[in-house]
Amino acid sequence: MPQQQHADGPAPVIAPGYTYATVTDKISAIVLTRRTPRWWFVGAALMFALVMLLLYAVAYLLLRGVGIWGVNIPVGWGFAIINFVWWIGIGHAGTLISAILLLLRQEWRTSINRFAEAMTLFAVACAGLFPLLHLGRPQLFYWLLPYPNTMGLWPQWRSPLVWDVFAVGTYATVSLMFWYVGLIPDLATLRDRSQHRLAQVIYGFLAMGWRNAASHWQRYQTAYYLLAALATPLVVSVHSVVGLDFAAGLIPGWHSTIFPPYFVAGAIFSGFAMVMTIAIPLRRVFGLEDFITMRHLNNMAKVMLATGLIVAYGYLIEIFTAWYSGNQFEWYMTVNRMLGPYAPAYWLMIGANVVVPQLFWSRRVRRHVPALLVISIIVNVGMWLERFIIVVTSLHRDFIPAAWGMYVPTRWDWALYVGTIGLFFALLFLFVRLLPAISIFEMRELVAESERHGEAHPAPRAGEAV
Amino acid sequence: MGQIFHPSTNTFSKVSIFGAVFFLAGVAAFALMFLRSSYVTGVGVVEPQPVPFSHAHHVGGLGLDCRYCHTAVEDSSFAGLPPTHTCMTCHSQIWNTSPMLQPVRESYATDQPLAWNRVHNLSDFVYFNHSIHVQKGIGCATCHGPVDQMPLMWKAEPMTMEWCLDCHRQPERYIRPREEVFNMRYEPPPDQLALGTQLVEEYGIEKARLTDCYVCHR
């Protein structure tokens, strides 16, 4: 199989000419030896300013209540749920890359899995805020947990919102475990390479005495694959549960059986868009073009194309079933999306999620880095609009015309949304500075593999001079 | 390069991992016990009153019936505290110079009610009804404890929802004949379950509806 790939001639997953030492050097230098670049301080400061905005918006929200948002009686779910679903969706690509591609033995996942997993964690952290903050009485959030209380009450297990608590809670925990387990051998590398006493103690503490023993590695692989096998159904079920928040409702535009798979596809679509949005600047700034090669970007573009087509199919089927059902409410919902007051958002979404990704059919676009970056940002916006369309257009005009309304987000809706973007990138800035953004030990495995292939086929070695 | 960690770290790591289990279990156990402790529920805690009224003296000693003072308990949702007039029916003649009773006489003279401190204070989203419980054979002592032996008033039961539901799910364990409701010394018979089941049937108590939200939270 690997020989075949070489024969087909895609770019390698790691540029030729690297040894164990140079791979380790290059990645660990970002954390340990290189001077922190000025752009890092500028970017981190900007993002921390947005975190301050988030804290301010949260404090004001807790003080004054959810009425500071634009939500009203027909549209009870606004930005809070839109952003929740958007962030959860973004997180899913990380788990897909680290777990599903691991089970499928896709070696190109290696250089992107670490920061994709970090992205998952940070996206889940942002997502997790919204279900808490959109409660009118957030201080009672723990009533959603099944614990023996003096009220003799338990959560209502038939509500998808209770499933959400467990889905997101489990997802966050498993993602954290998976990410941390993956980090242990790298933390040991950082421990051994750092010259600073404090860094040695911190990385050494986190590495938990990893010694690279064969018995360690044997158990490590088993645990890693088991976690991957656990995380895979989790990815699918978590976003399905998020889809059920809507599909279990009876609102036209929500009550649709296609939601679970269509939400999962959308999650992977938007998640890969975010991975791309992060990967392109990351490889540029740190000079990681040898590790995150064109092959990675190309493959990610293909995954986005595939999942984008599934999402497009979802849009089409929604329209078809609305017509085919002969149900006036379903049909009106569809017409309202296309021609109603929120029609611009709908057509922008179609443009961003269905039309623009079709450019990925072209090999030239898939190999054009700035184009990839622009398209993935457009997809991120498009997927946000998708959730906006689902939440708002379904609610604002449903069964009873007397209960029709409009939802206009206030500045506090925007402040929270922008604030979580700040939180996400602030965490990401800390992550790239403090932890290896690319899995060092898995890159070393890749070096070993490409050497083995090199023996069979001397051709790749020719590039060594570069 | 020297060792980063001293060998004693081995002990630290073992203790911290092993201890974490106990620590977390301890925190959970403490939290659950704390929520049910008298610090939170007020069970057994004497509430200070403007006049040290003794149920032990008036009920246990003098043998007053509960309804002499708490007149509305059979007909109203609220059992009611007796007005100063009720106190003065006797205390205009008895102990009418006692300094302990000075606030009562003052209240009577000035027409200002005595500011008693409530011992059983449910949240205002709970619509408790005394009369229905009295009419369906729940004795005073079941919820309020041996009031005839309390020199000053305290809570005998936690009045948590868990505690309420326990009886609403199995009223046969606590129910007694109507004529025994105000008997503070009533002892449940050995065949309480048989008698209780029969009384639940006889008094027309619909157990299936007793735990619906609207019963108490309207």
Side-chain angles (χ1 to χ4, degrees):
Chain A
M1 281 298 283
Q3 288 91 325
Q4 285 243 310
Q5 278 172 5
H6 278 279
D8 287 348
V13 285
I14 174 170
Y18 277 98
T19 63
Y20 292 166
T22 52
V23 163
T24 313
D25 266 341
K26 195 161 169 123
I27 302 172
S28 61
I30 298 172
V31 179
L32 292 176
T33 50
R34 269 169 62 164
R35 271 193 60 203
T36 312
R38 182 171 295 159
W39 64 262
W40 188 92
F41 287 106
V42 174
L46 198 69
M47 291 307 151
F48 274 94
L50 291 183
V51 174
M52 293 302 118
L53 176 69
L54 173 71
L55 293 179
Y56 183 64
V58 170
Y60 194 69
L61 173 77
L62 296 180
L63 206 64
R64 302 299 293 274
V66 285
I68 63 169
W69 293 345
V71 288
N72 48 44
I73 289 308
V75 189
W77 280 1
F79 266 32
I81 302 299
I82 297 164
N83 299 337
F84 164 68
V85 182
W86 189 69
W87 277 121
I88 282 284
I90 282 172
H92 276 54
T95 320
L96 184 96
I97 288 167
S98 50
I100 297 180
L101 296 185
L102 179 74
L103 295 182
L104 297 173
R105 318 271 162 156
Q106 293 294 308
E107 55 179 13
W108 61 276
R109 74 177 264 288
T110 302
S111 38
I112 51 174
N113 73 337
R114 173 66 48 71
F115 72 84
E117 284 165 38
M119 185 195 81
T120 296
L121 278 179
F122 306 151
V124 172
C126 291
L129 286 176
F130 287 106
L132 298 182
L133 294 177
H134 94 132
L135 298 174
R137 301 181 195 177
Q139 70 274 23
L140 298 178
F141 76 95
Y142 60 88
W143 284 7
L144 286 161
L145 302 174
Y147 70 99
N149 53 52
T150 57
M151 298 174 291
L153 282 182
W154 300 92
Q156 168 58 275
W157 296 106
R158 282 178 282 192
S159 165
L161 302 178
V162 171
W163 308 341
D164 263 350
V165 176
F166 289 87
V168 176
T170 315
Y171 188 55
T173 316
V174 172
S175 301
L176 181 68
M177 291 283 293
F178 199 56
W179 182 70
Y180 181 64
V181 167
L183 266 171
I184 288 174
D186 281 2
L187 290 165
T189 303
L190 292 180
R191 169 199 64 197
D192 297 341
R193 295 195 140 228
S194 61
Q195 300 297 317
H196 196 277
R197 172 84 188 140
L198 183 68
Q200 286 175 348
V201 169
I202 291 172
Y203 288 125
F205 178 78
L206 292 173
M208 297 199 292
W210 180 263
R211 298 191 309 275
N212 279 314
S215 58
H216 282 188
W217 281 113
Q218 195 261 332
R219 279 174 206 151
Y220 181 85
Q221 287 296 345
T222 313
Y224 203 54
Y225 273 98
L226 274 176
L227 273 175
L230 265 178
T232 301
L234 199 62
V235 184
V236 176
S237 57
V238 166
H239 216 69
S240 295
V241 166
V242 172
L244 288 173
D245 291 345
F246 305 98
L250 41 71
I251 302 288
W254 281 11
H255 192 67
S256 166
T257 49
I258 203 175
F259 268 28
Y262 152 64
F263 265 57
V264 174
I268 294 163
F269 185 46
S270 67
F272 265 89
M274 190 56 109
V275 175
M276 194 97 95
T277 314
I278 296 167
I280 290 170
L282 193 72
R283 71 199 280 272
R284 176 69 188 272
V285 164
F286 288 119
L288 295 172
E289 284 93 346
D290 289 346
F291 295 164
I292 305 173
T293 63
M294 282 318 295
R295 175 154 166 215
H296 294 100
L297 301 183
N298 192 17
N299 281 355
M300 286 196 276
K302 284 180 186 168
V303 175
M304 278 173 69
L305 179 61
T307 48
L309 287 173
I310 301 176
V311 169
Y313 173 80
Y315 297 156
L316 197 68
I317 282 296
E318 270 201 311
I319 298 168
F320 171 75
T321 42
W323 168 77
Y324 191 64
S325 68
N327 179 314
Q328 56 169 333
F329 297 109
E330 286 283 330
W331 183 241
Y332 178 71
M333 177 274 296
T334 310
V335 172
N336 182 45
R337 279 183 185 176
M338 294 176 179
L339 304 171
Y342 293 108
Y346 181 79
W347 293 111
L348 267 177
M349 170 192 82
I350 294 289
N353 288 352
V354 180
V355 180
V356 171
Q358 303 312 315
L359 291 169
F360 282 150
W361 287 104
S362 149
R363 184 185 291 258
R364 265 186 55 212
V365 173
R366 289 204 309 268
R367 286 169 193 280
H368 191 268
V369 178
L372 287 174
L373 183 61
V374 170
I375 295 175
S376 21
I377 292 172
I378 290 175
V379 167
N380 277 321
V381 174
M383 285 306 295
W384 187 87
L385 287 170
E386 182 201 294
R387 279 70 178 243
F388 180 87
I389 296 291
I390 291 172
V391 171
V392 175
T393 64
S394 311
L395 285 174
H396 91 116
R397 287 187 180 176
D398 59 4
F399 298 110
I400 300 174
W404 284 2
M406 288 296 287
Y407 167 69
V408 183
T410 63
R411 70 182 90 165
W412 297 105
D413 285 301
W414 287 108
L416 262 178
Y417 177 42
V418 175
T420 49
I421 292 177
L423 175 65
F424 177 78
F425 283 103
L427 291 168
L428 214 57
F429 270 97
L430 287 179
F431 162 72
V432 295
R433 185 64 194 83
L434 299 174
L435 291 168
I438 294 179
S439 174
I440 305 173
F441 79 95
E442 284 176 299
M443 291 305 282
R444 286 195 292 244
E445 280 175 13
L446 272 191
V447 169
E449 286 211 0
S450 58
E451 271 175 12
R452 240 177 287 135
H453 300 154
E455 277 156 19
H457 300 266
R461 282 225 158 176
E464 232 170 357
V466 188
Chain B
M1 198 178 79
Q3 290 289 338
I4 301 172
F5 295 103
H6 191 263
S8 65
T9 317
N10 283 335
T11 315
F12 273 119
S13 54
K14 276 176 198 154
V15 168
S16 60
I17 293 170
F18 190 66
V21 178
F22 290 94
F23 179 74
L24 293 177
V27 168
F30 175 80
L32 293 182
M33 285 193 288
F34 178 73
L35 287 175
R36 289 167 174 80
S37 69
S38 56
Y39 183 80
V40 172
T41 61
V43 169
V45 177
V46 171
E47 187 80 26
Q49 300 291 355
V51 180
F53 179 83
S54 168
H55 279 95
H57 170 66
H58 290 84
V59 184
L62 303 176
L64 288 182
D65 186 274
C66 306
R67 289 163 290 185
Y68 185 79
C69 300
H70 301 291
T71 49
V73 71
E74 286 175 300
D75 312 310
S76 162
S77 62
F78 190 61
L81 258 76
T84 309
H85 280 275
T86 310
C87 308
M88 291 303 277
T89 47
C90 299
H91 288 296
S92 57
Q93 307 296 323
I94 306 163
W95 299 110
N96 57 358
T97 53
S98 160
M100 204 188 272
L101 294 174
Q102 178 57 32
V104 182
R105 292 191 294 272
E106 210 170 282
S107 159
Y108 194 65
T110 59
D111 243 9
Q112 290 298 310
L114 282 162
W116 298 103
N117 291 320
R118 257 186 112 159
V119 177
H120 299 86
N121 200 1
L122 294 183
S123 302
D124 287 351
F125 51 77
V126 184
Y127 291 84
F128 179 79
N129 189 323
H130 267 100
S131 62
I132 190 69
H133 291 87
V134 168
Q135 297 299 337
K136 299 290 182 183
I138 298 299
C140 305
T142 307
C143 304
H144 294 294
V147 177
D148 59 323
Q149 294 162 46
M150 294 182 186
L152 288 170
M153 196 61 196
W154 64 76
K155 261 165 108 176
E157 298 290 346
M159 305 282 152
T160 56
M161 184 167 152
E162 181 183 50
W163 172 81
C164 296
L165 287 177
D166 178 49
C167 181
H168 273 211
R169 290 192 173 117
Q170 297 173 301
E172 63 276 3
R173 285 170 58 191
Y174 304 96
I175 196 168
R176 62 173 81 169
R178 266 185 200 127
E179 50 281 10
E180 301 289 351
V181 164
F182 298 101
N183 176 2
M184 295 308 291
R185 298 294 169 88
Y186 176 80
E187 289 286 338
D191 61 337
Q192 168 65 28
L193 274 187
L195 174 71
T197 313
Q198 185 208 324
L199 287 176
V200 165
E201 176 78 9
E202 195 181 316
Y203 294 164
I205 296 168
E206 291 182 57
K207 277 167 68 177
R209 283 163 49 182
L210 278 187
T211 53
D212 289 342
C213 307
Y214 69 84
V215 172
C216 309
H217 302 291
R218 280 172 280 154

